[in-house]
Amino acid sequence: MSERVAFSVNGIQTEGGAERKLLDFLREDLRLTAVKNGCGTGACGACTVLADGKPLRSCVTTLGKVEGKQIVTVEGLSQREKDVYAFAFAEAGAVQCGFCIPGMVLSAKSLIDTDPNPAEEAIRKALRANICRCTGYKKIIEAVSIAAGLFRNNAPVPQRDFSGILGENLHRPDAAPKTLGTGKFADDLTFDGMLHASAIRSAHPRAKVLKIDPSAALAHPDCVVVLTAKDVPGNIKIGHLAFLSDYDVMIDVGGTTRFIGDALALAVCRNKECLEEVKALVKIDYEVLEPLTDPQMAMAPGAPLIHSKENNILSHEHLVRGGANDALAQSLYVVSKHYSLPFTEHAFMEPECAVAMPEGEDGLLLYSAGQSIYDEQRECSRMLGIPPEKLHVVGMLVGGGFGGKEDMSVQHHACLAAWVLKKPVKVLLSRQESINVHPKRHAMEIELTTGCDENGILTAMKAEIVSDTGAYGSLGGPVLQRACTHAAGPYNYQVIDIDGKAVYTNNIPGGAFRGFGVPQSCFATESNINLLAEMVGISPWEFRYRNAIRPGQVLPNGQIAEGDVELEACLLAVKDIYEKAIAEGKHVGVSCGFKNSGIGVGLPDISRCTLSVEQGMIHIRTSAACIGQGLAAVVTQIACQATGLPPGQFIAEPPDTLRTPNAGTTTASRQTVFTGEATRLAAVQLKEALDKEGGGLDRLTALEGREFCGEYSGVTDPMGSDKPNPVSHVAYGYAATLAILDDEGRVEKLVAAYDIGTVVNPKNAEGQIEGGLLMGMGYALTEDFPMEGGYPKAKYGTLGLIRATESPQMEIMFVKPKNPSPLVYGAKGVGELATIPVTPAIAAAYYAKDGKHRTKLPMEETFYRKGKEK
C-alpha cells in the first residue's frame, strides 16, 4: 500500500494514496465530475484543476505531488464566481459541447486572480494548455474578458430578458450546466455494483484468429467474465447502415481480423483499474496475414477479399451529365491535377463511453453519448436478438461528435455485458483506444480536370475519386456520394463526369466527419479554379463571381437553384476586404463552398417533435442529439417564434426512446432544417389550440396533458434519376471564405460570409462557423493521421490540433436571404459547411505568396510545416 498524503479539495481536508492519480481521486472518490478525462496524457486540459491557484493537469499528477496543497475544482468556486462564469460563457456563446469548459473556467480564474484586466494575448496564453475542438476559441476568449470585467468592476451579473424569437442571441439552455460541470456525460454516471468492461483487440490489421484462451484472465480475482463472439445471442453483424451491417461485434476463432480495432473478446472486471492487467492475460494465437493498406492494393487482381463480396469495392458511383470529354477538348483553358487527402481524426473532447443495465423483467437500459438513440437501439437490439422496444436508450450530454459518434463504439459491448451478467456495466475507451478504433475522415486520391472558356466561364469537369473506406463500410458509400455530388462546386455549369470508388482496406475505417466527403473534393475543385483564373488573367474572386450559382440556374448535379440561394451576395460581402488586403500587399486566398442539409438523394429522411403540456410547462420532445451545435436553443426559438410564448415556458428534453420521437441521426447538417421544421409544425398546432382558449393567463392550464406532434419528411430524387432536374437535397447552404497571411506565412485572419438562410441564433451560428474555420485550418496545415502497415502512428498530442495561441482573427458575416424558403422560416444548416471552403482558401493564400500549387494535405513548406515529410 502506498504512502498516504494530505491536502485540501475545495477547502476540505482529505487524504489519499500518494501514487493515485489526482483525476481518479477527484472523480471517483469525491465524485467531483466537473473535472473531465479527455486524453489521460496531459495534452488536452479538460482535467485542469487549480493547485494553490495555478492550473494543474490532474490526469498526469499523483496525489504525492499535491501534498499540502489547496486543490480547487469548479465545484469549489464561490457562488459569485459560479454566477459570473455561467453568465459570461452563455453571453459570449462560448459553450458548445461543453466538455472542455470547466477546465477553461479554471485556467481563466487563475489568470483573472493575478491579472484583473487581461489583454487578449494574455487570455490566449492562459488558455494555451486547454484544447477546444468546437468553438475556435474566439468566444471563449470573449467570455473570459466578460468575466474579468464583472469581477474587476464588482458589477452585478446582468439579467437578460429574452423573447426567444428568431435572430435573438438566446442563451443556450445547457450553457450553465456545462460551464459549471453539473451537466452529466456518460462517464459521470456510476451505479451500485457497476462493473467495467473493455475489449481485447486484434494485435494485427489482418490475421486469422486461431485460438482465444481466457483461462489465465478468468483466474484473476477481479475478473468477472471474458466474453467472446460465442456469447452474442443475436446477430454478430451490426452497422450504421442497416442494409449493410458488415461490422463484427467480435471476431470469432477461425475468423480473420480486418483492422487493429477489431474486438476479439470482452473482459469484464469489478474495478476498472484491473482491466488492462486482465486483458493482458487473455492469450490469442494468430496466423498473421499481409494487410491491404491502400485502395490500389485492394483493387489489384487476385487481392484477398476483406469481406464476402466479389471484390473489395464497397461502393461505385458514376455521375454523368453531358459530354465532358468533348467539352474539355473544346475548352480554351484546361487544368488537370492530382490531389492527395489524408485520414484525419475527429479529436472530439469526450472519449466514447456507455453504461448499460437491466431494466424491468426482460429489458435493458442504455445510457449513451452517440448521435442517435434510435440507431443505437436498432443496432444493439439486433445484436442481442430482442425487439427494439426492449432496449430503452437515454442520451447523455455528448462531448463533441463531428460525425465520429455515429457508429457503435462502446454501446454494443456495454449492452452485451449487461445482458449476460444482469448487472450495470460501463465501457469507456481510453483516448488512444478511441484514436485506434473509431472511423476517420476518409483519405482520398482525386484526379481532377477542369475547363473554362476565354472569359473564365466554366465549361466542364471530369474527376476520378478513390476513397479509402478502411475495414468496414460505416458511411463510406454516402460519403463517396457527397464527395461526388459536390465535386463540381457551387457553380453554373452542367457538364460533368465523376467516377468514384470507395474501397475496403485493412486500415482504420473511414466514416462520417464534418463535411462528409465534401472537404476533399472541394479542395481539389477550388484549387483547380485558382489555376484557371490565372490562365484567363482575372482574379480568383472575379472567376468565382462570374460562375457563382444564382437563383433559377442549374447546379452541376442538375438541381435548379431555389430563390433563397445567395452565393453571389456572399462573394460581394467579402469583396472589399479581399481587394483592400491585396492593395496592402497581403497574401489572400478566396474559396467558395456549399453543403446540403439533409440526407437527400431519394432516401427516407424524417424528423419528429412532440410538444406536450405538463404542469404548466411545454416540453419539447425530440430524439435529435445535440453534439454541441445548440439544438435545444434552436428548437426553443422556433417554438417561441411560432407560439409567441417566452423561452422560459419551454423545457427541451434530452433524447429518450420512451419519451422522445425518432428525429433521425444528427448528421448531414439536417437537424436545424428537419427537426426545426417538425418543431415548427407542432408549435403551429399548439398556437392554434392556445388561440381557441382565448387570451387569458390560464390558457396552458386548459391544455394540460395534451400533445402536439410535428413530422417533416424531406422528399428528394435518387442519384441517377432520369429527371432532367432532379432534387438531390431539400436545401443547400453557401459560403465564401478568405484567408489572409502575414509576412511570415501565418494565417493572420479568416473572413467568411455565409448564406444559411434565416439565422436562428447568430452567436451560436458564429460559434459553429468559427470552430469549423479552425478545423478546416487544421486540415489544411497541421492535422494528419499517419498509418504504416495498418497501424496508426498518431497520439492525441501529435494530431496537430490548433491551440488558442495559434488561432487567427476571424470575421463572420451572414447574408440575409431575399427570398427565404418557407421551410423552417428559411433556416438552413451550417455545421458542416463551416469547415469546407476554408482549406482551399488557405491553399490559395499560400499560392499567392510563393506560387507553389500545393496538392497534398496537410500542406508542406508553410509556416506550420517547413518541409516535413508525411
Side-chain angles (χ1 to χ4, degrees):
M1 177 176 263
S2 67
E3 171 193 0
R4 295 185 70 78
V5 295
F7 53 99
S8 77
V9 176
N10 297 333
I12 299 174
Q13 282 296 121
T14 188
E15 64 175 32
E19 298 304 313
R20 186 162 170 73
K21 289 287 173 61
L22 176 58
L23 175 65
D24 293 337
F25 180 81
L26 294 172
R27 286 184 59 82
E28 295 168 20
D29 294 25
L30 302 186
R31 299 301 303 150
L32 297 172
T33 56
V35 191
K36 304 301 184 189
N37 185 359
C39 69
T41 58
C44 76
C47 67
T48 299
V49 299
L50 298 183
D52 291 345
K54 296 181 179 180
L56 181 73
R57 301 177 193 184
S58 63
C59 73
V60 292
T61 302
T62 60
L63 299 189
K65 298 290 187 182
V66 298
E67 184 175 13
K69 295 184 182 293
Q70 296 181 22
I71 304 300
V72 175
T73 71
V74 165
E75 290 95 337
L77 298 179
S78 69
Q79 191 58 51
R80 161 71 174 167
E81 289 174 314
K82 290 179 179 179
D83 292 344
V84 166
Y85 284 115
F87 170 81
F89 277 73
E91 177 75 3
V95 180
Q96 291 189 35
C97 88
F99 197 81
C100 71
I101 298 299
M104 294 280 185
V105 166
L106 291 174
S107 291
K109 171 178 165 56
S110 178
L111 170 66
I112 294 170
D113 285 351
T114 56
D115 180 1
N117 191 16
E120 179 180 322
E121 199 55 41
I123 296 173
R124 287 175 177 267
K125 187 176 179 181
L127 300 178
R128 69 187 183 279
N130 298 79
I131 288 177
C132 176
R133 192 61 164 158
C134 295
T135 68
Y137 300 105
K138 181 178 178 179
K139 290 189 169 16
I140 293 176
I141 293 166
E142 292 171 1
V144 176
S145 184
I146 291 170
L150 290 172
F151 288 129
R152 184 172 63 252
N153 299 315
N154 197 27
V157 174
Q159 300 298 309
R160 296 284 185 250
D161 184 19
F162 294 107
S163 68
I165 62 171
L166 302 188
E168 186 176 64
N169 290 316
L170 175 71
H171 287 184
R172 290 174 55 139
D174 58 357
K178 287 178 174 178
T179 301
L180 302 179
T182 58
K184 295 300 180 186
F185 295 85
D187 191 34
D188 297 334
L189 299 176
T190 187
F191 298 93
D192 290 342
M194 187 174 75
L195 304 173
H196 299 267
S198 182
I200 295 99
R201 301 189 184 274
S202 177
H204 308 282
R206 181 167 172 260
K208 187 174 182 180
V209 180
L210 303 178
K211 183 180 180 182
I212 300 174
D213 180 5
S215 56
L218 293 170
H220 191 287
D222 203 76
C223 182
V224 177
V225 72
V226 176
L227 301 174
T228 66
K230 293 179 175 59
D231 296 298
V232 176
N235 202 314
I236 196 70
K237 298 279 191 179
I238 59 173
H240 186 68
L241 300 178
F243 70 87
L244 183 60
S245 295
D246 63 355
Y247 206 124
D248 293 272
V249 175
M250 284 185 276
I251 303 288
D252 202 356
V253 171
T256 299
T257 68
R258 298 184 178 90
F259 84 118
I260 63 156
D262 273 328
L264 309 184
L266 187 68
V268 185
C269 294
R270 295 175 182 85
N271 297 286
K272 75 171 188 177
E273 292 80 6
C274 296
L275 277 171
E276 292 306 314
E277 182 180 341
V278 169
K279 286 165 60 177
L281 295 174
V282 178
K283 188 177 186 305
I284 301 174
D285 294 336
Y286 301 93
E287 177 189 340
V288 179
L289 304 172
E290 182 183 2
L292 305 176
T293 56
D294 71 63
Q296 296 306 320
M297 288 178 65
M299 289 190 292
L305 298 179
I306 294 173
H307 290 273
S308 299
K309 289 168 55 73
E310 62 183 24
N311 55 43
N312 286 321
I313 297 175
L314 165 69
S315 178
H316 182 200
E317 301 290 349
H318 193 193
L319 280 65
V320 178
R321 293 183 69 84
N325 288 333
D326 290 343
L328 289 167
Q330 296 169 20
S331 299
L332 182 59
Y333 301 110
V334 177
V335 169
S336 293
K337 292 290 179 181
H338 186 92
Y339 296 91
S340 297
L341 300 313
F343 288 106
T344 47
E345 157 71 17
H346 300 75
F348 36 72
M349 295 302 297
E350 174 206 26
E352 298 90 332
C353 183
V355 182
M357 65 192 70
E359 183 176 70
E361 292 185 4
D362 57 354
L364 208 61
L365 169 61
L366 171 66
Y367 291 100
S368 182
Q371 294 184 217
S372 169
I373 56 173
Y374 283 95
D375 289 343
E376 293 161 321
Q377 183 187 59
R378 171 181 55 80
E379 292 192 57
C380 294
S381 63
R382 170 189 171 100
M383 172 197 67
L384 296 175
I386 62 175
E389 60 271 16
K390 292 293 184 180
L391 179 56
H392 174 198
V393 186
V394 175
M396 305 301 294
L397 293 180
V398 183
F402 314 113
K405 293 180 179 174
E406 291 191 38
D407 295 87
M408 296 304 99
S409 56
V410 290
Q411 302 94 324
H412 56 315
H413 288 158
C415 286
L416 176 62
W419 182 260
V420 171
L421 297 171
K422 308 304 179 188
K423 290 187 177 181
V425 179
K426 177 184 284 188
V427 181
L428 169 68
L429 298 189
S430 70
R431 175 57 70 175
Q432 191 59 48
E433 190 177 11
S434 172
I435 287 172
N436 291 353
V437 170
H438 80 251
K440 312 301 173 201
R441 188 186 300 282
H442 285 80
M444 291 187 186
E445 298 293 323
I446 301 177
E447 190 75 34
L448 178 67
T449 300
T450 316
C452 72
D453 66 14
E454 67 276 11
N455 296 312
I457 302 302
L458 289 164
T459 54
M461 63 85 71
K462 189 172 183 178
E464 293 183 8
I465 301 174
V466 178
S467 172
D468 187 342
T469 206
Y472 292 98
S474 180
L475 284 153
V479 167
L480 178 69
Q481 289 179 340
R482 272 338 123 258
C484 292
T485 58
H486 289 65
Y491 301 112
N492 178 33
Y493 68 121
Q494 294 79 41
V495 182
I496 63 172
D497 187 333
I498 304 167
D499 189 86
K501 295 183 180 72
V503 184
Y504 285 120
T505 67
N506 292 121
N507 290 323
I508 295 174
F513 192 164
R514 192 178 201 172
F516 213 76
V518 182
Q520 295 94 314
S521 58
C522 176
F523 175 71
T525 284
E526 293 292 311
S527 296
N528 265 17
I529 281 175
N530 292 330
L531 299 179
L532 287 173
E534 187 174 52
M535 295 166 74
V536 175
I538 59 178
S539 76
W541 182 92
E542 178 65 29
F543 192 102
R544 288 166 172 83
Y545 185 74
R546 293 182 185 183
N547 288 282
I549 193 73
R550 290 162 171 86
Q553 294 178 342
V554 180
L555 283 161
N557 64 12
Q559 182 164 341
I560 298 173
E562 298 290 341
D564 63 344
V565 172
E566 296 289 353
L567 179 57
E568 177 185 9
C570 290
L571 281 162
L572 290 172
V574 302
K575 182 182 181 184
D576 289 347
I577 300 172
Y578 176 79
E579 293 179 344
K580 181 181 178 183
I582 291 176
E584 293 174 348
K586 300 279 190 182
H587 307 298
V588 189
V590 61
S591 179
C592 293
F594 74 135
K595 184 64 176 67
N596 57 289
S597 292
I599 295 168
V601 294
L603 297 173
D605 196 2
I606 302 171
S607 188
R608 302 173 182 87
C609 178
T610 297
L611 302 182
S612 56
V613 182
E614 303 176 36
Q615 298 181 345
M617 298 293 291
I618 303 164
H619 289 243
I620 305 174
R621 293 158 48 191
T622 174
S623 73
C626 178
I627 57 176
Q629 78 272 35
L631 188 72
V634 169
V635 295
T636 298
Q637 289 188 249
I638 289 169
C640 290
Q641 182 77 23
T643 62
L645 296 174
Q649 199 71 62
F650 295 90
I651 297 172
E653 292 194 14
D656 184 328
T657 54
L658 294 186
R659 287 278 299 174
T660 57
N662 190 349
T665 311
T666 294
T667 188
S669 301
R670 64 182 293 279
Q671 294 296 10
T672 292
V673 174
F674 282 70
T675 299
E677 178 65 4
T679 302
R680 188 191 70 82
L681 292 171
V684 167
Q685 297 172 46
L686 171 60
K687 177 67 163 60
E688 291 171 352
L690 287 169
D691 289 345
K692 288 180 181 178
E693 297 298 329
L697 296 177
D698 59 350
R699 290 184 299 165
L700 279 176
T701 302
L703 299 180
E704 180 68 27
R706 287 190 59 182
E707 294 185 350
F708 304 88
C709 301
E711 178 177 298
Y712 171 68
S713 176
V715 179
T716 54
D717 297 311
M719 290 186 68
S721 169
D722 57 5
K723 291 183 179 180
N725 297 109
V727 176
S728 293
H729 298 281
V730 298
Y732 290 97
Y734 297 84
T737 300
L738 304 181
I740 303 172
L741 307 182
D742 68 13
D743 291 339
E744 294 184 71
R746 292 186 188 89
V747 179
E748 179 180 279
K749 187 175 184 179
L750 298 173
V751 181
Y754 274 72
D755 162 25
I756 55 170
T758 301
V759 183
V760 176
N761 187 305
K763 275 190 179 173
N764 280 355
E766 286 173 2
Q768 283 277 289
I769 294 169
E770 288 158 5
L773 289 175
L774 201 65
M775 189 175 282
M777 177 177 161
Y779 188 42
L781 297 169
T782 61
E783 294 183 33
D784 199 2
F785 192 84
M787 281 191 278
E788 294 179 12
Y791 296 92
K793 297 300 179 182
K795 299 186 186 317
Y796 188 85
T798 66
L799 290 172
L801 306 179
I802 295 175
R803 296 179 180 267
T805 48
E806 303 160 324
S807 175
Q809 297 297 318
M810 302 182 199
E811 182 178 348
I812 312 299
M813 295 174 277
F814 294 111
V815 172
K816 188 174 182 179
K818 292 184 283 292
N819 297 292
S821 164
L823 197 63
V824 68
Y825 299 112
K828 297 188 280 190
V830 68
E832 293 179 284
L833 177 63
T835 202
I836 291 169
V838 62
T839 304
I842 292 171
Y846 276 103
Y847 184 68
K849 181 179 187 295
D850 59 20
K852 295 178 181 177
H853 185 73
R854 293 164 173 86
T855 58
K856 293 196 300 183
L857 298 182
M859 293 182 283
E860 302 292 350
E861 297 183 68
T862 68
F863 176 85
Y864 303 87
R865 291 172 66 93
K866 294 180 171 63
K868 292 181 182 178
E869 293 298 324
K870 289 184 70 172

